[in-house]
Amino acid sequence: LRLMAQVSVCAPLSALVFCCTMSRKGIVGGNWKCNPKTVSEAQALAKAVEGGAWEASKVDVVLFPVALHALPAQAESKKAKIGMQNPYKAGAFTGEISVDQIKDAGMEWVLVGHSERRHVFKESDALLAERVKLAQDNGLQVIYCIGELLEERESGKTNDVCAQQLDAVLASITDWSRVVLAYEPVWAIGTGKVASPEQAQEAHKAVRELIATKVSADVAAAIRIQYGGSVNAGNCKELIALPDVDGFLVGGAALKPEFLDIIAAVQG
C-alpha cells in the first residue's frame, strides 16, 4: 500500500505540506491500445497476468483490451479487472461502446482522455467530460488521463495544461472515490523517453495541490495518481518510490512479461 498524503490545511496553497498518515492502494493499468492481433493472444496475455505472484488485496490491476478481446480476456481474469478503453452512451453512435453494455458485460472500469483520443482522434474536453459523467452516473470507475505535449513542457506550461484538462471534468465528477488520475506526458508515450523522477513528482504534486484547491484536502489526499509514459521494469522502482506516484498506466510494456515486474514494484 502506498502512503497517503494528507494536506495540512494550515499551509498556504503555494506550499502545501503533505504528511504521511494513511495509505493509498497502488494501481496498475495495462492499456493494450489496438493490440494484440488475435483473440488467442489476448487470452494468453490475460492468463499471464493472472498467473503472476501478486495479490489483488495489495494492488489493483486493470487491463484495457480492445472491445473484441474484452470478454475473452475477462474469462481468463479473476484477480485482474477488465475495463473498456472509451465509454459513451447507447444509440446512433457508430463505433462507440455504451456504459450500459460495459456494465452488462460485468466490467467496472473505463479509460477516458488518453492522449491518442485527444490528439489523434481530436476528442474535445467537452466530449471527455461527457464520457466521465456517463461513467459517474452509471457507477463505473474511471482512469482519466491528463498530460502535456513536448512544446508545452518546453514552454513551461505543464501545470497549466494539466489544470485545464482537470478543470474540464470537475463538474462531471460527484464521486471521487471512483476516479483515478493518470499523468501521461505525451512526449514520453511510446517514445522510450521517460519523465525524470523530479519531473514526475513535480507534476503529480501540482495535480494533487490543484485537487486540494478545487475540490478538497481530503480528496487530494485520497486520489490515486498514476504515471504513464514509457514505464518499464527498469524505471518503475524509482518512480513508484516518489511520494505522489501511486501506480502506473502502462502501454507497450503491458504486452510483455515485464508487466509483472511493474505490478510487483507497485505492490511492494
Side-chain angles (χ1 to χ4, degrees):
L1 292 176
R2 299 284 296 149
L3 291 175
M4 179 183 289
Q6 182 164 345
V7 180
S8 170
V9 295
C10 298
L13 292 174
S14 60
L16 290 171
V17 178
F18 290 87
C19 304
C20 298
T21 57
M22 302 173 67
S23 59
R24 292 186 297 266
K25 188 179 182 183
I27 179 168
V28 180
N31 181 13
W32 293 359
K33 306 188 180 185
C34 200
N35 297 294
K37 292 182 178 180
T38 68
V39 171
S40 61
E41 288 176 298
Q43 289 175 307
L45 277 172
K47 191 172 183 179
V49 173
E50 190 68 18
W54 58 275
E55 299 177 33
S57 62
K58 295 180 179 179
V59 59
D60 288 329
V61 176
V62 189
L63 307 177
F64 294 96
V66 297
L68 284 171
H69 295 168
L71 288 174
Q74 186 167 255
E76 303 291 342
S77 304
K78 297 294 184 289
K79 296 187 297 183
K81 301 294 185 182
I82 302 298
M84 293 303 301
Q85 292 181 13
N86 222 23
Y88 202 51
K89 55 191 174 185
F93 304 107
T94 301
E96 296 290 336
I97 304 291
S98 80
V99 290
D100 304 295
Q101 293 160 344
I102 294 167
K103 288 170 61 180
D104 182 65
M107 297 172 196
E108 304 169 15
W109 287 86
V110 293
L111 185 64
V112 176
H114 192 276
S115 66
E116 289 149 8
R117 302 307 310 177
R118 293 179 186 272
H119 300 293
V120 178
F121 296 99
K122 309 302 180 185
E123 294 196 359
S124 66
D125 284 344
L127 176 57
L128 298 177
E130 185 180 5
R131 293 190 192 279
V132 170
K133 188 176 189 306
L134 284 164
Q136 284 270 293
D137 290 349
N138 286 274
L140 295 173
Q141 306 208 61
V142 181
I143 295 179
Y144 179 66
C145 304
I146 59 176
E148 81 283 5
L149 298 167
L150 180 59
E151 56 265 33
E152 293 166 335
R153 157 68 62 176
E154 291 177 339
S155 60
K157 295 179 180 177
T158 295
N159 291 347
D160 293 337
V161 171
C162 291
Q164 175 190 328
Q165 293 170 347
L166 269 175
D167 282 342
V169 299
L170 291 181
S172 299
I173 300 173
T174 55
D175 183 356
W176 282 92
S177 70
R178 293 184 174 275
V179 177
V180 173
L181 299 177
Y183 167 66
E184 293 199 301
V186 181
W187 48 271
I189 298 174
T191 63
K193 298 177 181 178
V194 63
S196 69
E198 294 77 17
Q199 289 173 322
Q201 172 58 21
E202 179 184 31
H204 281 235
K205 183 174 181 287
V207 169
R208 205 175 296 283
E209 291 178 351
L210 182 65
I211 297 287
T213 303
K214 298 277 189 174
V215 186
S216 75
D218 287 343
V219 169
I223 191 82
R224 295 185 289 179
I225 308 175
Q226 298 173 301
Y227 171 79
S230 297
V231 176
N232 58 46
N235 57 36
C236 62
K237 290 183 180 179
E238 185 176 25
L239 290 165
I240 197 59
L242 300 170
D244 287 304
V245 174
D246 302 307
F248 302 111
L249 184 57
V250 185
L255 305 171
K256 302 174 183 178
E258 66 182 303
F259 188 59
L260 292 176
D261 297 324
I262 296 171
I263 295 172
V266 175
Q267 176 174 273

